[in-house]
Amino acid sequence: MVQTAVKLVIEPIFEADFDQSAYGYRPQRSGADAIQEVHRLVCRGYSDVVDADLSKYFDTIPHAQLMQSVARRIVDGQVLRLMKLWLKVPVEERDGEGPRRMSGGKDNTCGTPQDGVISPLLANLYMNRFLKHWRNTGRGEVFRAAIVNYADDFVILSRGHAAEALAWTRDVMTRLGLTLNEAKTSVRDAQAERFDFLGYTFGPHIWRKNGRRYLGASPSRKSVQRLKDKIGGVLVPGNVAPWPEVRDQLNSMLRGWSQYFSYGTRMSAYKTIDHHVYGQVSRFLVRRHKVAGRGTRTFPVGMIRGELGVLALRPLMVTRRGS
């Protein structure tokens, strides 16, 4: 409650200073906005891309430098003292069924409060140091590039200077006490190869109707697989909940996924999900009702989509186009 109250007071103060290239956890901004901006830039020729990944960003933000950023805008001593205390809160961690361990505490010098209401704001505040330095030193003009940032994820989209932008970024991040994950950071030519950002894949796509090539944005394979895994988690043999409850949980999951992935080229992903959902639901019902065979006659597509009320994604595309 206290963190929420403090956040409501200080967020507008910091919001006025945040860079326009930042989209994460900000009022009136979203991941969808960031996705559309990346696609727009790629289509405008900013196709020399730094696909960047920070190592454990939330866990490595230096407290001293972070508090300097806070103190530039906040002068109330009580608020500053509270925020210092939150940064020192001990955290109990456990890997699966393994032993418990404590992290954080008064001797800790890095990281934002785990699952804290105020953590995303503090993370944005520290990332803003990098974004402001980029802007104030004119890197956009030097590298003919733009940054799109969402929390700890960002890409640099350039016209021919991605390697130089990456070298500059690596140096600045080191001075900020942060580290690029070199194994996951790369330079890509989006005219010829794809890259992933915020669950989307950007780069060369092919029109199935005529084979024409275009620069598109579509749900990534990982995003599709994650949804499949979640669906499998609902339709497990041990789920004995009433069918309406199972259906509503499944539909809520599908609707939320489709609302996020409502931009760009998505028919192929929607078809894949619809096919997967039908197969999983029919097998689930066959087991539950002890039906012989695969159950395609007992539970045809029309019944599952109609009488049993399972959501199909492809019709949503038509609905959204007409709205």
Side-chain angles (χ1 to χ4, degrees), residues 53-67:
D53 185 89
L54 287 171
S55 294
K56 299 180 179 179
Y57 174 63
F58 285 86
D59 296 332
T60 57
I61 297 173
H63 290 175
Q65 291 92 319
L66 174 60
M67 288 307 301

Side-chain angles (χ1 to χ4, degrees), residues 231-303:
I231 291 166
V234 173
L235 300 174
V236 291
N239 187 345
V240 296
W243 170 248
E245 186 177 318
V246 175
R247 178 202 60 212
D248 290 349
Q249 185 179 0
L250 188 61
N251 284 349
S252 176
M253 187 183 300
L254 291 168
R255 191 172 289 107
W257 192 88
S258 69
Q259 286 172 349
Y260 182 81
F261 292 101
S262 61
Y263 175 80
T265 304
R266 55 200 188 277
M267 179 59 83
S268 178
Y270 279 22
K271 283 183 178 179
T272 299
I273 295 301
D274 282 347
H275 180 75
H276 180 78
V277 168
Y278 170 67
Q280 290 291 305
V281 169
S282 61
R283 281 190 286 273
F284 176 80
L285 294 172
V286 162
R287 287 193 302 264
R288 172 170 284 196
H289 297 284
K290 298 180 174 59
V291 174
R294 297 173 60 188
T296 52
R297 291 186 178 181
T298 308
F299 302 108
V301 174
M303 175 183 285

Side-chain angles (χ1 to χ4, degrees), residues 196-229:
D196 289 356
F197 181 63
L198 297 182
Y200 266 78
T201 293
F202 300 88
H205 286 60
I206 304 293
W207 286 106
R208 291 194 174 187
K209 290 183 178 180
N210 56 20
R212 187 169 64 86
R213 182 179 173 278
Y214 67 100
L215 294 175
S218 58
S220 69
R221 290 182 179 179
K222 287 183 178 180
S223 298
V224 171
Q225 186 57 52
R226 276 194 291 267
L227 179 59
K228 287 182 177 181
D229 292 343

Side-chain angles (χ1 to χ4, degrees), residues 105-143:
K106 63 180 182 180
D107 295 327
N108 188 40
T109 60
C110 296
T112 57
Q114 189 179 56
D115 298 324
V117 173
I118 206 165
S119 290
L121 176 60
L122 295 179
N124 278 348
L125 179 60
Y126 200 65
M127 180 63 75
N128 198 52
R129 292 179 70 151
F130 169 73
L131 299 175
K132 283 188 70 174
H133 189 52
W134 169 280
R135 185 177 72 244
N136 292 340
T137 57
R139 294 301 103 181
E141 291 75 22
V142 172
F143 300 136

Side-chain angles (χ1 to χ4, degrees), residues 2-12 25 86 117-118 120-121:
V2 177
Q3 280 196 23
T4 302
V6 171
K7 178 178 178 291
L8 288 172
V9 172
I10 68 175
E11 184 174 53
Y25 306 109
W86 289 331
V117 173
I118 206 165
L121 176 60

